[in-house]
Amino acid sequence: MENKTFDKKDMLLESASGFFMPFPGDEEHDVEILLGFGEQLHPSTREKFNHTGIDLATGNLPLFAIATGTVVGVGNDAIHENFIITRYGKYDVKYGHVSEAYCNYGTHVKAGQQIAKSGGILHFEVRFDGQIIDPTDFLKMLYSNIMQLSVLSINNEAQFVDLNVPIKTDYDADQNEIIQLMLRWLPEYMNELRTGSYHTSDLVEAQLRNIFMQAAEKNYFFESIPSLSNPLGLSARSSLMAGKAQSLLIGDFLNFLGSRHNIFVSTWDDDKKKVLSARFQTG
């Protein structure tokens, strides 16, 4: 069967509940790939075969829903033993060799909800619109989505920067609606930035550079031990700088929505839309 070719925009994953990795992956839970995707040597027969997913050494880890979706398969087969399949838009994600499945067919799930527990090995398989795709590419996209939302402190995992003080932005009054817009449109926005289809204005880029130059001059960086959630080692002293940077990033995202899709925050009047356009105009 000939593989379909998909537009990258069609493959963007949307989720009203944010995004979550399918299993823990940290120093305490080391997950090793035992068998890769595609043509592989069978571990028992040593014959070549086409592997439709990846097999991981998981050792009885919790398995989570990765986004807003629905369980579309729970059962047992000869190859993957107990399994559970969850659908997220056009994506079907299969966990095989599970020791327990906690959801029935038709259950609606949210990102981060535990839906199963792995056995010693996990078979992880992904289909898009019915076609098998490389699960590692899917995991990279999922992780990218999580990091993009974390940068703006709106993800359901650890915030990108946790300063233990409120970070105020110019858009706090409409925060809930903006979060929903980001969960729907942020992957497309980031994809267009990466491909060059959308450009942040020179003025906004200059303002961001200026913020970080001032922060460096005031020694805001590396005041604490850097971590995944706080890679610059920021402290509470930098909350004002973080708020200014987030305001620019959120504003640019909203400008993208307005210029590309004519979508604005519902409470905004024409004057506020014009102010946004003037400030973030990409020309």
Side-chain angles (χ1 to χ4, degrees), residues 51-69:
H51 194 213
T52 57
I54 55 176
D55 288 353
L56 306 117
T58 48
N60 302 308
L61 289 181
L63 301 175
F64 305 107
I66 61 158
T68 299

Side-chain angles (χ1 to χ4, degrees), residues 180-200:
Q180 293 306 311
L181 290 172
M182 285 184 168
L183 291 172
R184 167 62 181 85
W185 295 102
L186 192 64
E188 180 178 323
Y189 165 69
M190 296 301 297
N191 186 58
E192 292 211 18
L193 281 174
R194 283 193 295 266
T195 61
S197 302
Y198 172 80
H199 297 276
T200 301

